[in-house]
């Protein structure tokens, strides 16, 4: 059994009922920076005014009351090595009883969690990077969607401007020609009649020359409004 304890990579320690550290395996000594032949004085065994020889012994003794009361204790904590390093460990304290049910000694096993903690920290950092990248991508996606929306709106405005007369707001000559071709083809196919009403403003040139182009523009706008307001939904009003 002792050979197994000496060979395990985890810290293994045994204390008697007086709190004296009876055994600390090589892995535990190496973890805490304690020499192979170095004696470890437990708090219960030190003389008055004597400095504690190892924080490991103190930590072990502090946990034993819990082990005595509960029979077992397990948690993650940090041990301090001789060089001041804080070593994260997963630690178990067990109370060992004799045939009569009396606790005769206590043992503890502590596994070094430094590498796992480092991996957890790396995993958390990677997760943060993934979340940050995802957030940035979502932000870029939102910006792209907004840019596409604005582009679609701009394209719709441009498309409307391309077929709209700037002065009157009616459809322009190009739109009129396209619609006329469509309606003519439809009427030929179904043998339906097609009506086209072409209006001209009498003496418009004379009015322009007398009162100026701004006044003439107002006449065209008023005429456009009158035609648009009186047209049916299926009618097509344009400035020829």
């Amino acid at each position: 059994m002792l050979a197994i304890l000496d060979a395990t990579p985890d810290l293994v320690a045994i204390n008697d009922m007086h709190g004296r550290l009876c055994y600390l395996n090589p892995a535990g000594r190496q973890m805490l920076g304690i020499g192979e032949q170095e004696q470890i004085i437990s708090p219960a065994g030190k003389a008055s005014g004597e400095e504690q020889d190892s924080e490991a012994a103190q930590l072990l003794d502090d946990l034993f009351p819990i082990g005595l009361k509960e029979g077992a204790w397990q948690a993650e904590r940090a041990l301090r090595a001789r060089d001041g390093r804080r070593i994260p460990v997963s630690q178990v304290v067990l109370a060992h009883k004799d045939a009569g049910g009396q606790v005769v000694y206590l043992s503890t096993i502590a596994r070094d969690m430094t590498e796992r903690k480092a991996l957890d920290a790396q995993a958390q950092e990677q997760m943060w990077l993934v979340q940050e990248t995802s957030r940035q991508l979502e932000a870029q996606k939102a910006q792209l969607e907004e840019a596409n929306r604005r582009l679609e709106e701009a394209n719709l405005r441009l498309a409307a401007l391309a077929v709209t007369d700037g002065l009157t707001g009616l459809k322009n000559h190009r739109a009129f020609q396209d619609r006329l071709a469509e309606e003519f083809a439809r009427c030929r196919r179904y043998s339906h009649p097609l009506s086209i009403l072409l209006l001209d403003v009498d003496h418009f040139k004379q009015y322009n020359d007398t009162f100026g182009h701004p006044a003439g523009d107002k006449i065209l706008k008023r005429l456009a409004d009158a035609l648009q307001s009186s047209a049916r939904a299926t009618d097509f009003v344009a400035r020829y």
Side-chain angles (χ1 to χ4, degrees):
M1 177 66 70
L2 185 59
I4 295 177
L5 296 181
D6 287 344
T8 182
D10 298 330
L11 178 151
V12 179
I14 298 175
N15 277 53
D16 63 17
M17 295 305 299
H18 300 289
R20 288 188 293 266
L21 184 62
C22 304
Y23 171 79
L24 180 61
N25 71 336
R29 289 176 175 270
Q30 182 179 3
M31 181 187 299
L32 300 175
I34 301 173
E36 294 183 7
Q37 304 301 323
E38 186 177 350
Q39 295 295 320
I40 303 175
I41 303 175
S42 308
K46 69 180 181 179
S48 177
E50 184 179 5
E51 291 295 332
Q52 175 61 32
D53 193 37
S54 171
E55 185 195 12
Q58 183 178 3
L59 289 171
L60 295 175
D61 289 340
D62 287 344
L63 299 178
F64 285 160
I66 303 175
L68 287 171
K69 181 180 179 180
E70 305 293 340
W73 177 90
Q74 180 177 1
E76 291 187 3
R77 59 180 301 157
L79 297 177
R80 188 174 66 186
R82 283 285 179 81
D83 59 7
R85 290 182 300 112
R86 304 293 293 183
I87 304 172
V89 297
S90 175
Q91 191 168 6
V92 178
V93 175
L94 298 174
H96 301 269
K97 301 178 181 180
D98 59 15
Q102 295 295 320
V103 177
V104 292
Y105 68 92
L106 297 103
S107 65
T108 183
I109 302 174
R111 174 163 295 178
D112 190 345
M113 305 293 287
T114 302
E115 184 175 353
R116 200 199 78 177
K117 292 291 185 181
L119 291 175
D120 289 346
Q122 291 178 4
Q124 291 178 358
E125 183 179 1
Q126 292 297 323
M127 181 62 68
W128 180 86
L129 290 175
V130 169
Q131 293 174 347
E132 181 65 16
T133 301
S134 178
R135 185 191 65 79
Q136 293 177 358
L137 289 175
E138 287 296 326
Q140 292 176 359
K141 179 182 177 182
Q143 292 175 355
L144 182 60
E145 290 176 349
E146 177 64 16
N148 287 335
R149 184 188 65 80
R150 293 181 179 180
L151 180 60
E152 290 177 0
E153 291 179 352
N155 287 336
L156 290 175
R157 289 195 296 269
L158 288 175
L161 291 174
V163 296
T164 303
D165 177 61
L167 175 63
T168 62
L170 301 177
K171 298 301 181 181
N172 60 16
H173 185 267
R174 171 187 172 185
F176 170 75
Q177 294 292 345
D178 293 340
R179 182 65 178 269
L180 179 61
E182 293 175 3
E183 294 297 336
F184 186 76
R186 184 179 295 109
C187 292
R188 286 191 60 183
R189 180 177 182 182
Y190 297 106
S191 299
H192 289 167
L194 173 63
S195 299
I196 300 177
L197 179 63
L198 183 62
L199 302 180
D200 190 16
V201 181
D202 292 341
H203 312 296
F204 184 70
K205 184 178 184 304
Q206 181 180 353
Y207 186 88
N208 257 347
D209 293 342
T210 302
F211 300 102
H213 288 285
D217 290 345
K218 289 182 180 180
I219 293 296
L220 293 179
K221 291 178 181 179
R222 290 180 61 184
L223 177 60
D225 292 341
L227 292 175
Q228 192 68 51
S229 62
S230 60
R232 300 169 302 179
T234 55
D235 291 339
F236 187 84
V237 184
R239 182 182 181 187
Y240 184 79

